[in-house]
Amino acid sequence: MASEGDFVHPKESGMEGLEEHYDLVIVGCGLSGCVIAEQASTNLGLKSLIIDKRDHIGGNCYDFIDEHGFRVSKYGVHLFHTVHDRVWDYVNKFSEWMPYEHRVKGRVNNTIVPIPPSQETVNTLFNANVHSPEEMEEWLKERRVVNDNPQNGEEAALSRAGPELYEAIFKYYTKKQWDKYPSELDASVLLRIPVRTNTDDRYFADKHQALPAHGYTRIFENMVLPDKNITIRLNTDYFEYKDKLPKHDLLVFTGPIDAYYASQGLPKLEYRSLTFKTEYHEPKKGELLNTTEKGEIRCPKDGYYQEALQVNYPGQEVDYTRITEYKHKPNQPKEVYDKPGTVIFREWSCDDGEPYYPVPNPDNRALYEKYREMAEKEPGVAFVGRLASYKYFNMDQAILNALEMYDDLVKEGKLKSKKPAGGESW
C-alpha cells in the first residue's frame, strides 16, 4: 500500500482518448462502483471505465486535509464498523487500520449524556437511580406504553422508550431529521430506536470497529488508482454522455434508480439530504461558545470545541441536529493535536441536495417496487448500491452488497474471465 502523496488523481473528463471497448462501464466512483471494478480486474482481468459527475473519487466517503491541516469528510462523518469477516478482510487489503470505538454524546437540557440512552442517561436526566440491567429494564417497563401494533412512529417510540426518553431524546430530533414529527412517520422508522439497559456507551457493538489510518480516500486510492485495468473519468455526468459511451458488455449503475428512468415520466423517490456549516475556532477552556434557552455552552478544554467527536442536539433549542469535531478522531495527522484551533461541522437535515436517506413510507416503497421491476428487465445493466436499491447502507453494507452483486454477476455468466488459463494472478 502506498504512502502519503504517492498517487496522481485522474484529471481527465468526458469521452476523449478512451479505448473503443470496455468490459464494464461503471457509473459512480464510490464504494459500490470501485469494489465491482476492483473485483472484476483482480479476479477476471476485466477492464472497467468508471465515470463520476463529481471532481473526486470515493463517493460520500471522500475525505481530505483542509486548509487548517485537519482531515475532514466532505459529506459528513464516516465510521467503519462491521460484523462481516469478509468485509473486514477485504478492506484490510487497501488500508492500515487503527482501533476506534465510536461514542456519541447528546446535549439534553444543556447536559451531556450518552446516546443511545443508557443507565447513565436516565440517571443524569431523570435521577432514575438505576445501577443494573435489571433495574434499567424495570424502569423502562414501568414507562413503556404497551402497544403490539403501533400505527405510527410516535406510538412505536413510546412502546420502546416511554414518554420521558421520547420527549427528551427522540421526538424533536426526529422532527429535525425528517421534517416530520414521529406521529407523521411510519412506525418502522422508530420501532428499532436503541435503548441500552447496560452501561455500554459505544454507539456500535460490531466486533470490527476501526478507522483507516490515512483516511477513507486512501482506501480508494489503493483500490483503483494503481490498476491498469481501471480507467476513471471525473466531472463526467452519465446523463450527459450516455449516448457517447465506449462500447461495453455491461453497464453498472450506482446512482439513484429513479434518475436512470427519469425520461419515463414517473415520480421521483423522496430523499432527505444534509447541509453543513464549517467553522474554525481556537477555544479556551471555559470560554462561552453559545447561549440557548437551555443555558450557556462552554468549551470543555483548550483547543477543543466539545466533549466528543459527535454531539447530538435532540432538543428544540437549536435547529441543527449535531456537531462533528474531527480533531477527536485518532487518525488525524499527528501535528493536529498540538494546534490551538479546531474545526467543527454543524449539520442540518434538508430536502434538497445530495440524496442521503430514503424516506420510508408506503408511497415510496410502492414506487420503488415499480422501478425495481423495470430494472430487473433492463438488458445489459446491473443496478448496485444504496441509491440503486433505495436503502440506507452503512459502509460495510455497501461493500458487502457490491461483493455479493459481483458474485451474482459471475454466477449468472454476465462477467467472464479474460485471464489466460494457468496464467499468473493479477
Side-chain angles (χ1 to χ4, degrees):
M1 290 177 282
S3 60
E4 296 281 353
D6 285 352
F7 293 101
V8 177
H9 284 237
K11 295 180 173 61
E12 299 90 348
S13 61
M15 297 292 115
E16 294 295 324
L18 294 172
E19 297 183 17
E20 291 185 4
H21 176 270
Y22 290 87
D23 300 298
L24 302 94
V25 169
I26 299 172
V27 181
C29 199
L31 282 171
S32 300
C34 288
V35 169
I36 294 282
E38 183 278 327
Q39 288 285 278
S41 174
T42 301
N43 300 327
L44 305 176
L46 300 182
K47 290 187 176 182
S48 295
L49 169 65
I50 305 177
I51 63 174
D52 199 301
K53 66 180 181 180
R54 292 172 170 171
D55 63 358
H56 58 77
I57 64 174
N60 281 7
C61 296
Y62 175 70
D63 57 10
F64 61 98
I65 304 297
D66 74 356
E67 66 269 30
H68 303 290
F70 295 95
R71 178 174 285 114
V72 298
S73 295
K74 185 171 183 176
Y75 303 97
V77 64
H78 281 67
L79 301 152
F80 184 85
H81 56 98
T82 188
V83 299
H84 303 291
D85 290 335
R86 182 183 185 185
V87 173
W88 179 239
D89 292 341
Y90 183 74
V91 298
N92 271 273
K93 295 178 182 179
F94 308 110
S95 178
E96 299 169 353
W97 294 79
M98 56 175 58
Y100 175 75
E101 294 180 329
H102 189 48
R103 287 169 169 83
V104 174
K105 302 297 182 182
R107 188 173 290 277
V108 182
N109 297 328
N110 210 30
T111 301
I112 294 293
V113 295
I115 301 289
S118 64
Q119 292 179 31
E120 181 182 342
T121 309
V122 299
N123 286 338
T124 301
L125 295 179
F126 311 118
N127 297 313
N129 197 31
V130 299
H131 302 288
S132 70
E134 293 76 19
E135 290 178 358
M136 180 68 177
E137 182 60 39
E138 186 61 30
W139 187 90
L140 288 167
K141 185 178 179 181
E142 291 173 357
R143 287 157 175 80
R144 286 172 176 150
V145 178
V146 178
N147 188 339
D148 294 330
N149 187 29
Q151 298 301 301
N152 58 55
E154 180 175 279
E155 292 182 5
L158 290 171
S159 73
R160 291 276 299 138
E164 290 100 325
L165 284 174
Y166 171 67
E167 291 286 335
I169 306 290
F170 300 111
K171 181 177 181 178
Y172 299 105
Y173 194 80
T174 301
K175 176 67 166 70
K176 289 194 280 190
Q177 274 193 313
W178 298 102
D179 197 26
K180 288 180 172 60
Y181 283 104
S183 59
E184 303 173 88
L185 290 170
D186 198 75
S188 64
V189 179
L190 285 94
L191 263 178
R192 296 184 180 180
I193 57 172
V195 179
R196 303 266 171 83
T197 58
N198 55 25
T199 57
D200 186 355
D201 65 347
R202 296 176 305 161
Y203 199 72
F204 308 111
D206 300 14
K207 65 178 178 178
H208 302 298
Q209 301 184 47
L211 291 174
H214 303 290
Y216 289 103
T217 301
R218 175 54 48 85
I219 297 172
F220 296 89
E221 290 173 336
N222 281 317
M223 187 185 296
V224 296
L225 292 189
D227 195 323
K228 294 180 180 179
N229 282 334
I230 299 174
T231 301
I232 300 171
R233 289 293 168 94
L234 302 176
N235 295 301
T236 302
D237 190 328
Y238 166 74
F239 296 104
E240 181 181 347
Y241 288 97
K242 66 179 182 177
D243 297 326
K244 303 174 184 177
L245 295 173
K247 293 178 182 178
H248 53 278
D249 299 327
L250 181 69
L251 178 75
V252 176
F253 189 81
T254 72
I257 192 170
D258 55 331
Y260 185 89
Y261 289 107
S263 62
Q264 302 277 347
L266 290 172
K268 288 186 176 182
L269 292 164
E270 288 182 279
Y271 286 92
R272 291 288 283 171
S273 187
L274 299 175
T275 186
F276 306 94
K277 180 184 178 185
T278 308
E279 299 173 12
Y280 175 78
H281 295 268
E282 294 187 359
K284 297 292 186 182
K285 183 177 179 179
E287 177 185 338
L288 179 64
L289 302 174
N290 194 9
T291 302
T292 74
E293 62 184 41
K294 300 294 185 181
E296 296 178 341
I297 299 174
R298 293 187 177 273
C299 171
K301 62 180 180 178
D302 287 355
Y304 286 84
Y305 189 90
Q306 60 188 21
E307 292 78 2
L309 168 63
Q310 179 182 330
V311 176
N312 290 1
Y313 287 76
Q316 301 179 83
E317 64 271 16
V318 296
D319 59 354
Y320 45 85
T321 56
R322 62 184 180 181
I323 295 177
T324 301
E325 184 177 17
Y326 286 97
K327 192 174 182 178
H328 288 277
K329 271 193 167 186
N331 66 342
Q332 291 287 351
K334 291 181 180 179
E335 61 272 15
V336 156
Y337 304 108
D338 296 325
K339 290 177 178 286
T342 186
V343 173
I344 67 166
F345 281 53
R346 296 184 198 271
E347 184 175 315
W348 290 261
S349 294
C350 56
D351 285 326
D352 300 320
E354 295 283 345
Y356 279 80
Y357 304 107
V359 178
N361 62 41
D363 289 344
N364 282 324
R365 282 197 292 269
L367 179 57
Y368 169 71
E369 282 303 311
K370 291 181 180 179
Y371 283 122
R372 186 184 61 80
E373 291 171 5
M374 295 166 66
E376 287 180 350
K377 299 172 184 176
E378 192 73 26
V381 183
F383 293 84
V384 186
R386 64 181 184 90
L387 296 175
S389 305
Y390 198 60
K391 292 179 181 177
Y392 178 75
F393 287 161
N394 290 322
M395 281 183 288
D396 69 317
Q397 294 169 322
I399 293 168
L400 184 63
N401 173 259
L403 290 171
E404 292 178 343
M405 175 61 77
Y406 166 80
D407 294 342
D408 291 343
L409 292 170
V410 173
K411 288 176 184 176
E412 294 166 4
K414 295 178 180 178
L415 294 179
K416 297 179 180 179
S417 179
K418 288 191 175 180
K419 284 187 174 183
E424 294 181 3
S425 60
W426 290 51

